[in-house]
Amino acid sequence: MQSFIPNKAQAEKIANEFGTPVFVTDANILRRQGKRMLDAFDWSNTKILYAIKANFNPAIVKVLKEAGIHGIDTVSANEVRLALELGFAPENIVFTGAMPSDADMRSVTEQGVIVNAGSLSEIERFGKMFRGKAIAIRINPGVGDALFASNVTGGEKSSFGIIHSNFAAAKDLLKKYDLRLAGIHSHIGSGFYTPEIFIESVKLVLKEAAEFPDLDFVDFGGGFCVPYKPEDKPVDLVEFGRLVKELLTDFSAQNGREIEMRLEPGRFMVAESTALLTKITTRKQSGKYLFIGTDTGMNHLIRPAMYGSYHHIVNITNPEGKKEIASITGNICESADFFAKDREISEPREGDLLAILTSGAYGNVMSANYNLYGMAAEVMVDGEEVGLTRKRQSYEQIMENFVY
């Protein structure tokens, strides 16, 4: 695996200084992923926009910015605000809201950020507010691919994007409100390994783009997966880049212009950079079943409970212990709170530190205060340096906005 695994000395030092549970991020893996993305997609007019919903920790985003990532893909007005505060230019930020309100579209537009509309309603409402302005549209390519069915964002059953049968109506609305189409966007889902369906989406976007000679960019979304299991192979990003470049080269030759390509990787940029470090609190034998309780739970990393997703777990304290079959549970009072069921792991003892790997995407950002637990601390490792990037949330901080 290419995911970050803290060594024993490092993990113990972090646990002693910052407590557990704690998300631990390796800055060098963030840089590695940024370089891989930039090297693979070497079309001469390319912008990589980090999908900040995957992990909005400002320290992490800063490292990606320093690594050469051009901009930010956002889904909320607050994400736009953070992107601007971190120094990204408005023209390098795109707002693709999920059923956005008029207030959100107005707010981001007034800050110079382009709205990427995913419905006829959004185009019409935007046109009424900003006649003559530039807008992008998100098309639903009719195909989708993802690690889990719930992450597919293409096809008629998806709520995202404008389906092909509504393209004509979308173009009529652009004309009605004198809107300039600046970009066409598509996103098929989150968590695919092979290029076939992705390339079909690219072809559809380019087909539509040919009808708009003043188009600034095409945006093919993100969704590139990373290895979660030890036997998983890394996605062949170079092959993705090669196939996309061929299509863009053909497009340029046929249309007499070189269009800007945008990509919006999120999971790919951050997932492997981070491990959730937790301490074993309880070893419990129940008949033939062994349960290992920890001091974290689905409130900090909900993916296993929500999707049934796999995260590899390593016993940092006792890596050479005899192998046992155990179910790793959280400390939340819910029967779904498992990180692994019947998983082989080196002898787990009370007090041992476990690392739940590949937790950098959709981990801390989906945390909640369920059972009145606070958000976990977050730290970053950069060579020999270790620094706090998010304080552990206290009881007082959880309760401060309640009125009683």
Side-chain angles (χ1 to χ4, degrees):
M1 294 185 72
Q2 297 181 316
S3 295
F4 170 60
I5 307 176
N7 61 48
K8 182 178 179 180
Q10 188 179 49
E12 289 178 346
K13 181 179 178 181
I14 290 170
N16 288 335
E17 185 172 354
F18 302 104
T20 58
V22 56
F23 286 94
V24 187
T25 298
D26 186 344
N28 283 327
I29 291 183
L30 296 172
R31 298 184 184 107
R32 179 195 76 191
Q33 295 300 89
K35 186 176 188 305
R36 286 184 64 195
M37 183 63 62
L38 292 165
D39 288 349
F41 293 96
D42 60 351
W43 174 248
S44 57
N45 192 3
T46 297
K47 283 185 180 177
I48 306 297
L49 310 184
Y50 168 57
I52 200 170
K53 68 178 180 290
N55 192 323
F56 56 71
N57 184 312
I60 287 174
V61 182
K62 281 185 176 181
V63 173
L64 293 175
K65 186 172 188 286
E66 292 164 0
I69 299 305
H70 305 99
I72 299 293
D73 163 55
T74 69
V75 298
S76 73
N78 278 344
E79 288 185 350
V80 169
R81 177 176 177 176
L82 177 58
L84 292 168
E85 288 178 354
L86 292 175
F88 290 95
E91 60 268 24
N92 290 335
I93 303 171
V94 65
F95 171 73
T96 309
M99 311 298 181
S101 67
D102 288 357
D104 281 348
M105 289 195 289
R106 182 181 296 279
S107 170
V108 301
T109 302
E110 289 176 348
Q111 294 176 85
V113 172
I114 194 160
V115 167
N116 185 27
S119 69
L120 299 181
S121 168
E122 290 164 54
I123 299 174
E124 180 135 39
R125 289 185 284 126
F126 181 90
K128 290 177 179 178
M129 290 187 288
F130 298 106
R131 178 181 289 273
K133 278 273 194 179
I135 192 173
I137 61 172
R138 175 177 182 168
I139 63 176
N140 182 327
V143 294
D145 195 13
L147 200 58
F148 306 102
S150 55
N151 294 146
V152 173
T153 56
E156 288 188 353
K157 291 184 178 181
S158 171
S159 63
F160 298 100
I162 299 170
I163 60 174
H164 190 270
S165 59
N166 285 335
F167 284 4
K171 292 170 186 175
D172 288 343
L173 286 172
L174 294 174
K175 185 176 181 179
K176 177 181 178 180
Y177 293 103
D178 193 28
L179 299 173
R180 184 178 78 82
L181 187 62
I184 298 178
H185 167 276
S186 178
H187 181 68
I188 64 171
S190 180
F192 51 82
Y193 287 96
T194 57
E196 292 80 12
I197 297 180
F198 177 77
I199 292 302
E200 289 303 310
S201 172
V202 170
K203 289 177 180 177
L204 179 60
V205 170
L206 291 177
K207 179 182 177 182
E208 293 298 320
E211 297 186 24
F212 297 90
D214 297 326
L215 200 70
D216 295 333
F217 65 87
V218 286
D219 188 331
F220 302 134
F224 308 100
C225 206
V226 298
Y228 280 92
K229 298 178 180 180
E231 63 270 23
D232 287 344
K233 294 181 179 179
V235 63
D236 188 349
L237 211 61
V238 173
E239 178 66 3
F240 276 86
R242 183 187 69 79
L243 292 171
V244 171
K245 190 173 183 178
E246 285 182 0
L247 293 174
L248 288 168
T249 300
D250 290 344
F251 178 90
S252 295
Q254 293 171 15
N255 295 277
R257 59 191 171 107
E258 183 180 284
I259 197 165
E260 178 184 293
M261 173 184 69
R262 295 184 173 187
L263 294 167
E264 301 168 356
R267 179 195 311 273
F268 180 85
M269 305 302 296
V270 296
E272 294 176 288
S273 71
T274 303
L276 174 55
L277 196 63
T278 181
K279 184 175 290 187
I280 295 176
T281 60
T282 308
R283 180 182 168 108
K284 177 181 179 180
Q285 194 74 43
S286 182
K288 64 179 181 179
Y289 297 102
L290 174 61
F291 296 95
I292 300 300
T294 65
D295 64 0
T296 187
M298 59 189 283
N299 61 313
H300 294 143
L301 182 63
I302 199 172
R303 295 186 72 252
M306 178 178 282
Y307 304 123
S309 61
Y310 181 99
H311 285 265
H312 199 58
I313 302 175
V314 177
N315 188 336
I316 299 293
T317 306
N318 188 31
E320 303 302 323
K322 67 177 182 179
K323 302 297 183 183
E324 295 189 84
I325 302 298
S327 293
I328 315 299
T329 78
N331 58 358
I332 297 299
C333 189
E334 287 289 340
S335 58
D337 192 21
F338 281 83
F339 295 113
K341 291 186 177 181
D342 300 324
R343 180 84 59 85
E344 184 178 84
I345 188 169
S346 300
E347 182 188 5
R349 307 165 304 186
E350 292 182 4
D352 283 355
L353 293 173
L354 303 181
I356 305 175
L357 306 185
T358 326
S359 298
Y362 309 106
N364 53 332
V365 291
M366 294 179 75
S367 294
N369 291 131
Y370 192 42
N371 288 183
L372 211 54
Y373 281 110
M375 305 294 185
E378 299 176 40
V379 303
M380 183 175 290
V381 175
D382 194 352
E384 297 299 316
E385 297 182 7
V386 179
L388 185 68
T389 63
R390 183 178 182 175
K391 298 176 182 177
R392 188 175 309 283
Q393 191 181 29
S394 67
Y395 170 83
E396 289 76 18
Q397 289 170 324
I398 298 173
M399 301 300 296
E400 65 183 356
N401 288 327
F402 287 98
V403 179
Y404 61 102

